[in-house]
Amino acid sequence: MLIDIHTHLVNRNFNVNNCKANFAIKIFLKKLKYTCYESYVNNLIFFINESKLDKAVLVAIENSEICANNEQVLSICKKHPEFLFGVNLNPFDRDIDLKIKNAHKDRAVLVKILPSFQNIDLSHKRCIPFFELLKEYNLPLLVHTGKEYTIKTNNQHLNDPALLESAAKMGVKIICAHCGTRKFLHEKSYFKNWTQLALKYENVYGDLGAMITPVQIFDLKKIIKNPDLKAKVLFATDYPAFPFYFPMKKSINSIIDTYSFFENLGFDDTIYKNAERLLAL
Ligand SMILES: [Zn+2]
């Protein structure tokens, strides 16, 4: 099964006209000719069906004006077989055990955490019971790593992959979104911290979401050159993100553009097989 491990849905109440959303969101939605929630869903389904992919994981973000929350994402996943449910949870919630149990019942395939936005230090020992639950339910953890551009916060250091060392040691299946990379040269890169973690722990991976940019292309080439790293990445678009690299030809379908680019660069089937294995599909 060919899967996009990381896509997003706009919030059902998102209003493009009076939103204070940042530049990136505006560009993404302009490219999609965004009009409303329903058209967004239908467009994404059309792109998946037109591509060679079978399914995409829709990742929820709670308490965001821009991204759809768990309830909205779950309802779309129940209606459309093209989507798999990526639930957003907070390890510090008192009823986290019940929430994981319910997410598992709702057929969530992974748990997403955006540390800087949720203000979660994943190296804190209070996260240990949460990691135990992830292992019990065989749920991988998808963590945003590197600077967050869409949902702005001040705690960017929380997105450092190095903070995942104790979870990695415990054997939690971890996918570091964007492999800890940066989009602009003047910013801090966590790519090296991701490579160290991915090379040290069998259960640590990275996703290639939103990495087709002039700066990140150098990190993509470093991954390709190292067979051990190349074996540790998964296909992802981070839709509605699309390739932002001028030398490449672009179509309207950013999913096809993204995998065509990766395949031309030298990535093989492993990027899909890893996802299938990690999600236990
Ligand atoms: Zn994302």
Side-chain angles (χ1 to χ4, degrees):
M1 192 183 290
L2 305 186
I3 298 157
D4 182 342
I5 194 89
H6 182 169
T7 66
H8 293 278
L9 176 62
V10 283
N11 193 291
R12 189 177 248 291
N13 304 316
F14 177 75
N15 184 339
V16 74
N17 297 318
N18 59 16
C19 84
K20 287 176 236 116
N22 64 30
F23 190 58
I25 288 290
K26 276 183 192 152
I27 299 178
F28 295 158
L29 296 182
K30 199 174 170 197
K31 176 168 159 65
L32 292 176
K33 298 189 174 70
Y34 175 83
T35 50
C36 65
Y37 187 74
E38 285 73 23
S39 76
Y40 183 100
V41 173
N42 291 335
N43 258 330
L44 182 49
I45 291 174
F46 177 80
F47 287 161
I48 294 167
N49 289 335
E50 196 189 35
S51 77
K52 66 175 184 179
L53 297 190
D54 300 297
K55 286 173 192 290
V57 178
L58 263 188
V59 172
I61 303 285
E62 290 281 279
N63 307 310
S64 156
E65 280 174 27
I66 305 168
C67 297
N69 57 29
N70 288 329
E71 194 192 328
Q72 294 166 356
V73 169
L74 177 61
S75 115
I76 293 294
C77 291
K78 279 182 177 167
K79 270 186 226 149
H80 304 282
E82 290 85 356
F83 296 124
L84 300 165
F85 180 32
V87 67
N88 177 224
L89 296 175
N90 188 327
F92 300 148
D93 280 354
R94 243 194 282 162
D95 58 347
I96 186 65
D97 46 347
L98 182 67
K99 282 185 174 149
I100 292 198
K101 198 176 165 186
N102 287 339
H104 180 74
K105 238 188 263 169
D106 288 330
R107 305 178 70 182
V109 293
L110 58 81
V111 174
K112 159 88 174 199
I113 289 189
L114 210 173
S116 61
F117 178 62
Q118 296 180 265
N119 202 19
I120 295 167
D121 177 354
L122 287 165
S123 68
H124 199 285
K125 61 177 189 299
R126 275 177 65 208
C127 293
I128 290 173
F130 169 69
F131 297 146
E132 294 287 3
L133 287 163
L134 292 178
K135 279 171 56 184
E136 187 186 330
Y137 287 97
N138 196 22
L139 279 165
L141 183 61
L142 173 66
V143 183
H144 178 94
T145 58
K147 186 173 172 176
E148 165 62 36
Y149 295 89
T150 311
I151 305 174
K152 295 241 169 88
T153 49
N154 300 317
N155 304 324
Q156 298 288 353
H157 65 279
L158 293 176
N159 299 333
D160 184 347
L163 299 176
L164 289 157
E165 176 107 31
S166 55
K169 213 179 273 176
M170 282 175 67
V172 176
K173 294 192 274 185
I174 299 169
I175 305 160
C176 297
H178 328 293
C179 303
T181 55
R182 60 180 167 185
K183 295 212 184 296
F184 300 100
L185 283 173
H186 65 278
E187 292 166 345
K188 186 169 168 56
S189 173
Y190 297 96
F191 178 68
K192 206 169 168 200
N193 291 1
W194 171 73
T195 63
Q196 283 167 353
L197 208 65
L199 293 174
K200 187 169 169 190
Y201 296 98
E202 204 193 319
N203 45 311
V204 174
Y205 291 77
D207 89 21
L208 300 173
M211 278 181 68
I212 306 178
T213 68
V215 170
Q216 285 159 300
I217 191 102
F218 292 104
D219 294 328
L220 286 173
K221 285 179 180 167
K222 280 182 206 156
I223 295 172
I224 299 245
K225 272 196 203 139
N226 182 333
D228 294 328
L229 284 180
K230 198 179 158 190
K232 300 302 288 285
V233 288
L234 284 71
F235 175 70
T237 56
D238 202 7
Y239 185 94
F242 60 87
F244 207 80
Y245 187 61
F246 295 111
M248 79 179 270
K249 270 195 197 145
K250 283 182 259 323
S251 72
I252 188 140
N253 189 330
S254 57
I255 294 177
I256 296 179
D257 286 353
T258 304
Y259 66 63
S260 304
F261 184 87
F262 288 144
E263 288 168 19
N264 286 334
L265 204 63
F267 286 104
D268 56 31
D269 272 11
T270 315
I271 61 175
Y272 307 111
K273 284 183 183 145
N274 282 342
E276 202 175 352
R277 205 180 55 248
L278 271 176
L279 303 187
L281 294 169

